Amino acid sequence: MKKIAVFASGNGSNFQVLAEQFPVEFVFSDHHDAYVLKRAEKLGVKSYSFELKDFADKAAYETALVQLLDQHQIDLVVLAGYMKIVARTLLDKYEGRMINIHPAYLPEFPGAHGIEDAWAAGVKESGVTIHWVDSGIDSGQIIRQKRVPRLATDSLATFEERIHQMEYALYPEVLESLGIERLAK
Ligand code: GRF
């Protein structure tokens, strides 16, 4: 059975959706106080956190991550709101085995504010994209993407919520398509 680890920096709602449907070997957060760690505890999923500032540099931080992934024999790293750019140390070892979810229809609106940027641009539709991770910002090969409309009656909050709902539907589908087995019911 293929093993997955989820990386999340903050809230962790995508992690929660995944952990309710798939066995997650562990979740990692780069912030000790991230809400995702509380979600993991409630769900009984193992968690780890360490912060970049506790290491000499990003290479040392990512070396610790590689060790953690290797120890757990992780087949697929699932980024879900992991807000750091993945650098060479981690990519050298896990490129081709790491995916990310982005709350816009790439290559439209890459970066940390995909939802707000699409909203500010006044688009009629945006979307959700799941892609392989490479050294760029949201630039890796696209696995799957879906459009999400922006309605005339939307506020930023309702638009955002519709995008998140699409994320929660699409990420499990993609994991399944990559051969990750669901939890037994
Ligand atoms: C999601 O919209 C994801 O696409 C983006 O960051 C957000 C994380 O939300 N990269 P959550 O932490 O899963 O609630």
Side-chain angles (χ1 to χ4, degrees):
M1 201 165 93
K2 289 191 187 174
K3 291 207 229 170
I4 64 170
V6 177
F7 285 14
S9 295
N11 178 29
S13 64
N14 279 279
F15 156 72
Q16 172 140 3
V17 166
L18 295 179
E20 284 169 352
Q21 298 182 46
F22 297 88
V24 175
E25 182 70 15
F26 70 83
V27 63
F28 167 75
S29 182
D30 56 332
H31 294 291
H32 294 312
D33 60 354
Y35 187 63
V36 68
L37 298 170
K38 296 214 169 64
R39 292 185 192 265
E41 200 181 330
K42 279 193 206 135
L43 288 159
V45 174
K46 201 180 299 150
S47 68
Y48 297 94
S49 74
F50 39 81
E51 303 200 355
L52 179 55
K53 65 174 169 51
D54 300 329
F55 292 83
D57 55 23
K58 192 146 181 191
Y61 161 83
E62 288 199 340
T63 298
L65 277 177
V66 167
Q67 279 167 2
L68 196 57
L69 293 167
D70 287 354
Q71 265 165 25
H72 286 269
Q73 299 183 295
I74 296 302
D75 296 292
L76 186 71
V77 184
V78 178
L79 307 187
Y82 177 65
M83 300 308 284
K84 281 191 170 53
I85 293 168
V86 177
R88 211 54 262 171
T89 308
L90 191 47
L91 276 176
D92 281 347
K93 202 67 202 296
Y94 280 88
E95 190 160 12
R97 293 188 285 164
M98 192 182 304
I99 62 175
N100 181 44
I101 188 161
H102 182 73
Y105 201 85
L106 292 171
E108 299 167 12
F109 309 109
H113 308 288
I115 300 175
E116 293 85 348
D117 291 348
W119 175 263
V123 295
K124 290 211 163 53
E125 53 180 10
S126 185
V128 169
T129 304
I130 293 162
H131 62 92
W132 294 103
V133 175
D134 69 7
S135 57
I137 297 174
D138 302 319
S139 59
Q141 196 196 328
I142 291 169
I143 302 169
R144 193 131 191 253
Q145 56 187 167
K146 274 210 159 177
R147 283 289 184 186
V148 175
R150 169 182 171 164
L151 307 182
T153 51
D154 268 342
S155 62
L156 175 57
T158 58
F159 177 58
E160 190 166 356
E161 181 55 24
R162 191 174 308 108
I163 288 177
H164 289 316
Q165 290 303 325
M166 181 61 81
E167 294 191 299
Y168 306 152
L170 207 58
Y171 226 175
E173 272 180 36
V174 166
L175 286 191
E176 201 161 37
S177 77
L178 294 175
I180 310 301
E181 282 175 43
R182 284 177 184 270
L183 283 167
K185 284 206 181 115

mmCIF file of all heavy atoms in Angstrom, residues 8-15 39 80-83 100-103 115 163-164 167-168, ligand 1:
data_model
loop_
_atom_site.group_PDB
_atom_site.id
_atom_site.type_symbol
_atom_site.label_atom_id
_atom_site.label_comp_id
_atom_site.label_asym_id
_atom_site.label_seq_id
_atom_site.Cartn_x
_atom_site.Cartn_y
_atom_site.Cartn_z
ATOM 1 N N ALA A 8 1.289 20.864 5.776
ATOM 2 C CA ALA A 8 0.356 21.990 5.864
ATOM 3 C C ALA A 8 0.914 23.022 6.836
ATOM 4 O O ALA A 8 1.456 22.659 7.886
ATOM 5 C CB ALA A 8 -1.003 21.499 6.343
ATOM 6 N N SER A 9 0.741 24.296 6.500
ATOM 7 C CA SER A 9 1.314 25.352 7.348
ATOM 8 C C SER A 9 0.343 25.937 8.354
ATOM 9 O O SER A 9 0.776 26.502 9.363
ATOM 10 C CB SER A 9 1.834 26.499 6.469
ATOM 11 O OG SER A 9 2.901 26.057 5.666
ATOM 12 N N GLY A 10 -0.957 25.840 8.084
ATOM 13 C CA GLY A 10 -1.892 26.585 8.927
ATOM 14 C C GLY A 10 -3.143 25.836 9.312
ATOM 15 O O GLY A 10 -3.114 24.897 10.107
ATOM 16 N N ASN A 11 -4.236 26.229 8.692
ATOM 17 C CA ASN A 11 -5.560 25.747 9.089
ATOM 18 C C ASN A 11 -5.737 24.231 8.932
ATOM 19 O O ASN A 11 -6.196 23.541 9.828
ATOM 20 C CB ASN A 11 -6.594 26.528 8.258
ATOM 21 C CG ASN A 11 -8.010 26.080 8.543
ATOM 22 O OD1 ASN A 11 -8.325 25.632 9.643
ATOM 23 N ND2 ASN A 11 -8.865 26.193 7.553
ATOM 24 N N GLY A 12 -5.413 23.709 7.769
ATOM 25 C CA GLY A 12 -5.450 22.259 7.594
ATOM 26 C C GLY A 12 -6.791 21.661 7.230
ATOM 27 O O GLY A 12 -7.018 20.464 7.454
ATOM 28 N N SER A 13 -7.694 22.448 6.631
ATOM 29 C CA SER A 13 -8.990 21.853 6.272
ATOM 30 C C SER A 13 -8.830 20.808 5.158
ATOM 31 O O SER A 13 -9.520 19.783 5.162
ATOM 32 C CB SER A 13 -10.008 22.925 5.878
ATOM 33 O OG SER A 13 -9.622 23.617 4.721
ATOM 34 N N ASN A 14 -7.919 21.044 4.220
ATOM 35 C CA ASN A 14 -7.682 20.022 3.182
ATOM 36 C C ASN A 14 -7.089 18.759 3.794
ATOM 37 O O ASN A 14 -7.471 17.646 3.431
ATOM 38 C CB ASN A 14 -6.759 20.563 2.081
ATOM 39 C CG ASN A 14 -7.500 21.400 1.072
ATOM 40 O OD1 ASN A 14 -8.134 20.868 0.169
ATOM 41 N ND2 ASN A 14 -7.457 22.714 1.233
ATOM 42 N N PHE A 15 -6.175 18.936 4.734
ATOM 43 C CA PHE A 15 -5.620 17.761 5.431
ATOM 44 C C PHE A 15 -6.746 16.958 6.067
ATOM 45 O O PHE A 15 -6.808 15.732 5.952
ATOM 46 C CB PHE A 15 -4.612 18.195 6.515
ATOM 47 C CG PHE A 15 -4.463 17.175 7.600
ATOM 48 C CD1 PHE A 15 -3.800 15.980 7.358
ATOM 49 C CD2 PHE A 15 -5.046 17.371 8.848
ATOM 50 C CE1 PHE A 15 -3.714 14.997 8.354
ATOM 51 C CE2 PHE A 15 -4.970 16.406 9.833
ATOM 52 C CZ PHE A 15 -4.296 15.214 9.582
ATOM 53 N N ARG A 39 -5.990 19.431 14.578
ATOM 54 C CA ARG A 39 -6.847 18.535 13.782
ATOM 55 C C ARG A 39 -6.257 17.126 13.782
ATOM 56 O O ARG A 39 -6.974 16.133 13.903
ATOM 57 C CB ARG A 39 -6.953 19.031 12.339
ATOM 58 C CG ARG A 39 -7.703 20.331 12.157
ATOM 59 C CD ARG A 39 -7.822 20.597 10.669
ATOM 60 N NE ARG A 39 -8.271 21.920 10.322
ATOM 61 C CZ ARG A 39 -9.537 22.270 10.061
ATOM 62 N NH1 ARG A 39 -10.489 21.370 10.103
ATOM 63 N NH2 ARG A 39 -9.841 23.509 9.733
ATOM 64 N N ALA A 80 -0.635 20.597 1.145
ATOM 65 C CA ALA A 80 -2.008 21.113 1.266
ATOM 66 C C ALA A 80 -1.948 22.377 2.116
ATOM 67 O O ALA A 80 -2.070 22.313 3.342
ATOM 68 C CB ALA A 80 -2.915 20.061 1.896
ATOM 69 N N GLY A 81 -1.671 23.495 1.475
ATOM 70 C CA GLY A 81 -1.502 24.737 2.227
ATOM 71 C C GLY A 81 -0.145 24.805 2.897
ATOM 72 O O GLY A 81 -0.007 25.412 3.960
ATOM 73 N N TYR A 82 0.865 24.198 2.278
ATOM 74 C CA TYR A 82 2.254 24.315 2.773
ATOM 75 C C TYR A 82 2.832 25.562 2.117
ATOM 76 O O TYR A 82 2.979 25.609 0.893
ATOM 77 C CB TYR A 82 3.051 23.065 2.388
ATOM 78 C CG TYR A 82 4.513 23.099 2.789
ATOM 79 C CD1 TYR A 82 4.886 23.127 4.132
ATOM 80 C CD2 TYR A 82 5.526 23.078 1.834
ATOM 81 C CE1 TYR A 82 6.226 23.148 4.508
ATOM 82 C CE2 TYR A 82 6.866 23.092 2.194
ATOM 83 C CZ TYR A 82 7.203 23.127 3.535
ATOM 84 O OH TYR A 82 8.536 23.138 3.890
ATOM 85 N N MET A 83 3.119 26.582 2.929
ATOM 86 C CA MET A 83 3.370 27.919 2.381
ATOM 87 C C MET A 83 4.852 28.228 2.120
ATOM 88 O O MET A 83 5.213 29.389 1.969
ATOM 89 C CB MET A 83 2.748 28.981 3.302
ATOM 90 C CG MET A 83 1.245 28.831 3.472
ATOM 91 S SD MET A 83 0.315 28.727 1.905
ATOM 92 C CE MET A 83 0.368 30.453 1.409
ATOM 93 N N ASN A 100 0.851 19.243 -5.212
ATOM 94 C CA ASN A 100 0.357 20.434 -4.510
ATOM 95 C C ASN A 100 -1.040 20.776 -5.025
ATOM 96 O O ASN A 100 -1.373 20.488 -6.182
ATOM 97 C CB ASN A 100 1.301 21.614 -4.784
ATOM 98 C CG ASN A 100 0.872 22.877 -4.068
ATOM 99 O OD1 ASN A 100 0.510 22.852 -2.886
ATOM 100 N ND2 ASN A 100 0.889 24.002 -4.768
ATOM 101 N N ILE A 101 -1.810 21.413 -4.151
ATOM 102 C CA ILE A 101 -3.117 21.937 -4.584
ATOM 103 C C ILE A 101 -3.052 23.452 -4.567
ATOM 104 O O ILE A 101 -2.498 24.050 -3.643
ATOM 105 C CB ILE A 101 -4.267 21.394 -3.703
ATOM 106 C CG1 ILE A 101 -5.628 21.792 -4.288
ATOM 107 C CG2 ILE A 101 -4.133 21.842 -2.245
ATOM 108 C CD1 ILE A 101 -6.782 20.949 -3.783
ATOM 109 N N HIS A 102 -3.606 24.059 -5.604
ATOM 110 C CA HIS A 102 -3.579 25.515 -5.716
ATOM 111 C C HIS A 102 -5.006 26.020 -5.972
ATOM 112 O O HIS A 102 -5.692 25.493 -6.856
ATOM 113 C CB HIS A 102 -2.651 25.941 -6.859
ATOM 114 C CG HIS A 102 -2.546 27.422 -6.975
ATOM 115 N ND1 HIS A 102 -1.836 28.180 -6.068
ATOM 116 C CD2 HIS A 102 -3.097 28.296 -7.845
ATOM 117 C CE1 HIS A 102 -1.955 29.455 -6.390
ATOM 118 N NE2 HIS A 102 -2.706 29.554 -7.465
ATOM 119 N N PRO A 103 -5.425 27.062 -5.240
ATOM 120 C CA PRO A 103 -6.819 27.507 -5.360
ATOM 121 C C PRO A 103 -7.054 28.492 -6.502
ATOM 122 O O PRO A 103 -7.671 29.541 -6.317
ATOM 123 C CB PRO A 103 -7.078 28.153 -3.995
ATOM 124 C CG PRO A 103 -5.757 28.728 -3.627
ATOM 125 C CD PRO A 103 -4.711 27.786 -4.179
ATOM 126 N N ILE A 115 -6.761 33.095 -4.600
ATOM 127 C CA ILE A 115 -8.196 33.405 -4.538
ATOM 128 C C ILE A 115 -8.407 34.925 -4.578
ATOM 129 O O ILE A 115 -9.189 35.432 -5.398
ATOM 130 C CB ILE A 115 -8.839 32.801 -3.266
ATOM 131 C CG1 ILE A 115 -8.679 31.268 -3.277
ATOM 132 C CG2 ILE A 115 -10.307 33.210 -3.169
ATOM 133 C CD1 ILE A 115 -9.176 30.575 -2.019
ATOM 134 N N ILE A 163 -14.565 27.714 -3.851
ATOM 135 C CA ILE A 163 -13.265 27.174 -4.286
ATOM 136 C C ILE A 163 -12.786 26.081 -3.320
ATOM 137 O O ILE A 163 -12.345 25.013 -3.740
ATOM 138 C CB ILE A 163 -12.235 28.309 -4.438
ATOM 139 C CG1 ILE A 163 -12.615 29.122 -5.684
ATOM 140 C CG2 ILE A 163 -10.805 27.768 -4.557
ATOM 141 C CD1 ILE A 163 -11.773 30.316 -5.963
ATOM 142 N N HIS A 164 -12.927 26.351 -2.032
ATOM 143 C CA HIS A 164 -12.505 25.322 -1.064
ATOM 144 C C HIS A 164 -13.319 24.033 -1.237
ATOM 145 O O HIS A 164 -12.765 22.934 -1.174
ATOM 146 C CB HIS A 164 -12.608 25.845 0.370
ATOM 147 C CG HIS A 164 -11.567 26.872 0.697
ATOM 148 N ND1 HIS A 164 -10.237 26.727 0.338
ATOM 149 C CD2 HIS A 164 -11.644 28.071 1.315
ATOM 150 C CE1 HIS A 164 -9.556 27.783 0.734
ATOM 151 N NE2 HIS A 164 -10.382 28.624 1.327
ATOM 152 N N GLU A 167 -11.830 22.116 -3.878
ATOM 153 C CA GLU A 167 -10.581 21.484 -3.428
ATOM 154 C C GLU A 167 -10.882 20.175 -2.694
ATOM 155 O O GLU A 167 -10.235 19.148 -2.941
ATOM 156 C CB GLU A 167 -9.815 22.417 -2.479
ATOM 157 C CG GLU A 167 -9.295 23.667 -3.125
ATOM 158 C CD GLU A 167 -8.329 24.426 -2.224
ATOM 159 O OE1 GLU A 167 -8.722 24.850 -1.116
ATOM 160 O OE2 GLU A 167 -7.177 24.600 -2.639
ATOM 161 N N TYR A 168 -11.884 20.243 -1.808
ATOM 162 C CA TYR A 168 -12.186 19.065 -0.986
ATOM 163 C C TYR A 168 -12.700 17.899 -1.837
ATOM 164 O O TYR A 168 -12.553 16.737 -1.459
ATOM 165 C CB TYR A 168 -13.228 19.398 0.096
ATOM 166 C CG TYR A 168 -12.872 20.571 0.985
ATOM 167 C CD1 TYR A 168 -13.855 21.353 1.582
ATOM 168 C CD2 TYR A 168 -11.532 20.902 1.230
ATOM 169 C CE1 TYR A 168 -13.523 22.434 2.392
ATOM 170 C CE2 TYR A 168 -11.201 21.991 2.040
ATOM 171 C CZ TYR A 168 -12.206 22.758 2.608
ATOM 172 O OH TYR A 168 -11.876 23.832 3.400
HETATM 173 C C1 GRF B 1 -5.897 25.974 0.215
HETATM 174 O O1 GRF B 1 -6.752 26.872 -0.449
HETATM 175 C C2 GRF B 1 -4.790 25.512 -0.679
HETATM 176 O O2 GRF B 1 -5.162 25.393 -1.997
HETATM 177 C C3 GRF B 1 -3.804 26.638 -0.538
HETATM 178 O O3 GRF B 1 -3.842 26.973 0.816
HETATM 179 C C4 GRF B 1 -5.141 26.693 1.338
HETATM 180 C C5 GRF B 1 -4.978 25.842 2.550
HETATM 181 O O4 GRF B 1 -6.162 25.706 3.271
HETATM 182 N N1 GRF B 1 -2.521 26.257 -1.056
HETATM 183 P P1 GRF B 1 -6.244 24.620 4.438
HETATM 184 O O5 GRF B 1 -5.034 24.840 5.347
HETATM 185 O O6 GRF B 1 -6.230 23.260 3.820
HETATM 186 O O7 GRF B 1 -7.519 24.914 5.170
#
